Amino acid sequence: MLSTIEAIYTAAVEVATYHQGFECEQSEHESLLSLLWIFGLIRVATANTAQKNGKPLPFSDTDKRERQARLSYIGTEKHKQDKEKGRILKLETAKRKQQIL
């Protein structure tokens, strides 16, 4: 978790530096730290909710692997519905072309 937070902080400092064209002042670093505090609170709340629901932590390697496997083979329910609609539209278009000919 520390590496993620460090990466976010470093990226925020780089964006602030690029945007302003000069080094960040101490007060700007403190405001970035406040954002990191909020990020940490959200992450803890997410972990607590997952544990209460008996699910793995959403940012754990186990959950990431499960989601990747589920999405790469099955896809989401919306994806299935979209594929079915596309198949039906293709069939309807082909029927219309045959009727015209």
Side-chain angles (χ1 to χ4, degrees):
M1 187 166 133
L2 186 60
S3 61
T4 302
I5 292 174
E6 286 173 341
I8 291 170
Y9 180 76
T10 302
V13 169
E14 286 178 4
V15 168
T17 302
Y18 175 79
H19 179 66
Q20 295 172 355
F22 55 90
E23 289 297 317
C24 294
E25 296 177 13
Q26 183 64 28
S27 63
E28 292 166 337
H29 280 278
E30 290 171 6
S31 68
L32 295 176
L33 288 174
S34 297
L35 288 174
L36 290 176
W37 180 258
I38 292 170
F39 170 77
L41 291 175
I42 292 170
R43 193 169 170 115
V44 168
T46 303
N48 288 339
T49 302
Q51 287 176 340
K52 285 179 187 176
N53 294 334
K55 296 181 180 179
L57 300 178
F59 42 83
S60 68
D61 289 337
T62 304
D63 188 63
K64 287 178 186 176
R65 275 186 254 123
E66 286 176 7
R67 267 187 282 136
Q68 286 173 349
R70 186 174 60 244
L71 294 176
S72 66
Y73 295 113
I74 298 171
T76 63
E77 189 61 35
K78 171 94 171 76
H79 183 244
K80 286 183 195 176
Q81 292 170 356
D82 289 346
K83 285 184 79 170
E84 182 61 21
K85 285 179 185 177
R87 188 184 66 77
I88 292 170
L89 286 173
K90 274 186 178 179
L91 290 174
E92 289 175 356
T93 304
K95 285 180 185 177
R96 282 189 208 132
K97 283 183 181 179
Q98 283 183 340
Q99 290 174 350
I100 293 173
L101 296 175

